[in-house]
Amino acid sequence: MCYPTPQELGLAARALADEHPAEVRLRQAGASRAGQPIWVLSVAPTPPAGPAVTRVPDDADVPDDADVPDGEDRPHGADRADRPDGADGPGGDGDGGGRNVLVVAGAHANEPVGGATALSLARRLLRDPAPRAGCGWHFLLCADPDGADLHRTPRPYSLLDYHRYFFRPPGPEQPEWAPSLLPADRLPPETLALLALIDELRPVLQVSLHATDLGGSWVQLTRDIPGLAEPFAKSAADLRIPVENGASDAAGWPSPGPGIFVIPEPGSEAAGAFHPEDTRLSTWYHAHRYDGTTAIVEVPMWASDLVDDPAPHPDPRGALRVLAGRLTADAALVAAARERARSRDRPGPCAHEDPAAAALLRAVDWTLALIPRIAVEWTGPGAPAEATAAYIASIDAFGRRLSLRAAAMLLRVLRAEGHPAAPGLDRLVTGWCEEFAARFGARWIPVATQVEHQSRTVLAAYARLVAAGPSTGRA
């Protein structure tokens, strides 16, 4: 099983809609900056038989083969009578009598598993319609098709292979985070399409499908979903996926269970540990306008048991100082190579011939600009005096990937133009990938297994949210 491209996702979704015309609808929710379609696949609800009940297939078998080709909060439980919930037909505007779930895939270009999961979930809901009782399911198949086209790794066989054609856009160009970093009149069309979809559907649950290159699985929640930790942990154990108990971007966040993190109230001490953005303005929180909850489901491409170690670390602050020093030194190596290429950024005889170069260099510069602040935080007075080995391992991985990503994207530009700095940077990227994999004992998780775990977690989140009812809201 391979990660599908945006084009393959569209073709597979069209085939599914043609096969099930009474239940499935494919429509275009917008267009990317480059004019590519942003597709939404909708699976219609079935009539509710009394209170909505859903079965979580947490003991389902892992598929053997591919499913796809090689703001302001409102109190939870507020009146929802004016919502366009449910559906008059497949993906219709609704009759105001049911729920909607919105599943967002491809918000980060370098995390391609989400599209495969979205298609797999749609097929599963057609086979087992129980979660569709009174609830329409809608899948944004790829939130950033332009970015996905720049990140080309359909079946990476190593971390180095994954980074050969790596791309992750800077924060202001990411559909989910752009509202946190840009004024409303400068939002990219991908973000506008996603916001409009949330406004249309008013989802009771929004799920954003994400991935990490190396580590474990975890879930971030904008509101707690009671009981989610148990089915999440069971799925991870069944599929031999480690649970990331100390996720670096959830440092200090409330955790109702292993691998489950509730995003703190904006303005609290832990809220911005690794996020320069204001989470209240992200698309994750846009669903709160309609009494919705957002879950961000992370799954690893390569697993490491180091991120699942709950043992106390003997010297967290000392370890963080070492990691901050390494991050600063590694970033300086990339920055030096970037300076050698900087004279070619401007129009003229030496302008880049690769049309992707400008996007790649914006991403390089954004990543390098983040690093000094992060290194200061790791060595500042807020550094934890007590932490688990899993947390320090997660920080270690986070630092390694920052420098590696910047170097990998810069290498693509330098290699394309035959820059004399390319061979040296290539050796650096190769060495960093090999060290990363060796340090963490990287173990590949098959794409089908990644998809299965995300699918189970999405269904469990919806089941537990429905079971919890209005008690999941905020006062």
Side-chain angles (χ1 to χ4, degrees):
M1 185 176 189
C2 294
Y3 296 120
T5 66
Q7 293 74 25
E8 290 170 336
L9 286 170
L11 290 172
R14 172 58 62 195
L16 193 64
D18 290 344
E19 185 179 352
H20 301 273
E23 300 174 280
V24 179
R25 176 189 176 196
L26 180 66
R27 61 186 170 116
Q28 185 173 337
S32 71
R33 280 162 288 184
Q36 293 197 71
I38 297 173
W39 296 113
V40 176
L41 183 71
S42 297
V43 182
T46 58
V53 177
T54 185
R55 179 174 66 82
V56 182
D58 57 6
D59 57 351
D61 293 330
V62 180
D64 294 326
D65 206 348
D67 271 334
V68 298
D70 264 26
E72 292 181 354
D73 295 346
R74 294 175 57 198
H76 193 85
D79 182 15
R80 304 164 69 97
D82 60 344
R83 294 179 36 159
D85 294 343
D88 298 323
D93 290 334
D95 57 13
R99 300 183 178 90
N100 282 312
V101 172
L102 173 61
V103 179
V104 179
H108 284 155
N110 62 302
E111 301 169 7
V113 68
T117 299
L119 280 179
S120 181
L121 268 171
R123 291 189 175 103
R124 183 173 295 193
L125 290 166
L126 291 168
R127 294 193 304 267
D128 178 6
R132 294 164 51 200
C135 181
W137 287 72
H138 310 268
F139 303 92
L140 184 62
L141 297 177
C142 185
D144 183 10
D146 297 347
D149 278 351
L150 281 176
H151 179 86
R152 301 190 293 272
T153 52
R155 185 181 289 174
Y157 58 84
S158 67
L159 272 177
L160 178 59
D161 187 44
Y162 169 73
H163 284 93
R164 283 298 185 198
Y165 294 96
F166 182 91
F167 177 69
R168 181 184 177 100
E173 298 176 29
Q174 296 175 14
E176 292 181 328
W177 283 114
S180 302
L181 298 163
L182 295 174
D185 61 353
R186 291 178 54 200
L187 292 177
E190 297 88 349
T191 295
L192 296 175
L194 176 53
L195 291 173
L197 196 59
I198 296 171
D199 289 338
E200 173 197 335
L201 299 174
R202 304 183 182 186
V204 64
L205 176 65
Q206 177 184 210
V207 182
S208 187
L209 301 174
H210 286 255
T212 186
D213 46 18
L214 198 164
S217 179
W218 74 98
V219 179
Q220 300 173 68
L221 301 171
T222 60
R223 291 173 172 146
D224 187 21
I225 300 179
L228 178 58
E230 185 274 330
F232 168 76
K234 184 179 188 305
S235 173
D238 288 347
L239 300 173
R240 296 187 62 236
I241 297 174
V243 171
E244 189 135 355
N245 287 312
S248 60
D249 53 357
W253 293 5
S255 179
I260 307 293
F261 302 95
V262 181
I263 301 175
E265 292 286 347
S268 65
E269 193 169 314
F274 292 104
H275 292 295
E277 310 89 347
D278 184 346
T279 55
R280 292 170 297 180
L281 301 178
S282 73
T283 60
W284 296 350
Y285 275 81
H286 197 72
H288 282 210
R289 298 186 178 195
Y290 308 107
D291 199 23
T293 296
T294 297
I296 301 92
V297 182
E298 302 266 4
V299 65
M301 302 171 70
W302 284 269
S304 172
D305 294 331
L306 295 182
V307 301
D308 198 11
D309 184 355
H313 191 280
D315 183 15
R317 287 181 173 171
L320 288 172
R321 284 194 296 270
V322 171
L323 295 177
R326 187 192 66 202
L327 174 60
T328 301
D330 289 350
L333 295 175
V334 183
R338 174 69 179 100
E339 283 302 316
R340 295 185 64 183
R342 195 170 296 278
S343 63
R344 306 193 180 197
D345 292 355
R346 297 182 293 272
C350 295
H352 297 286
E353 295 180 4
D354 182 0
L360 288 162
L361 290 174
R362 287 196 304 272
V364 170
D365 293 340
W366 167 266
T367 304
L368 290 175
L370 290 177
I371 289 175
R373 182 185 63 83
I374 291 171
V376 168
E377 288 180 351
W378 290 357
T379 56
E386 297 181 358
T388 63
Y391 172 73
I392 298 301
S394 182
I395 292 288
D396 185 356
F398 179 73
R400 289 175 187 268
R401 67 173 58 98
L402 277 179
S403 302
L404 176 55
R405 288 172 175 179
M409 290 187 286
L410 180 58
L411 177 58
R412 290 184 62 181
V413 177
L414 299 186
R415 188 193 297 123
E417 64 183 23
H419 196 287
L425 191 58
D426 195 351
R427 289 190 294 271
L428 191 66
V429 168
T430 299
W432 282 352
C433 286
E434 292 172 350
E435 291 171 9
F436 195 4
R439 168 69 179 88
F440 283 81
R443 169 173 54 85
W444 172 250
I445 302 294
V447 176
T449 306
Q450 299 173 39
V451 167
E452 180 67 17
H453 180 56
Q454 277 196 326
S455 298
R456 293 181 184 183
T457 303
V458 172
L459 293 172
Y462 175 67
R464 296 312 188 270
L465 187 70
V466 170
S471 64
T472 57
R474 294 174 176 175

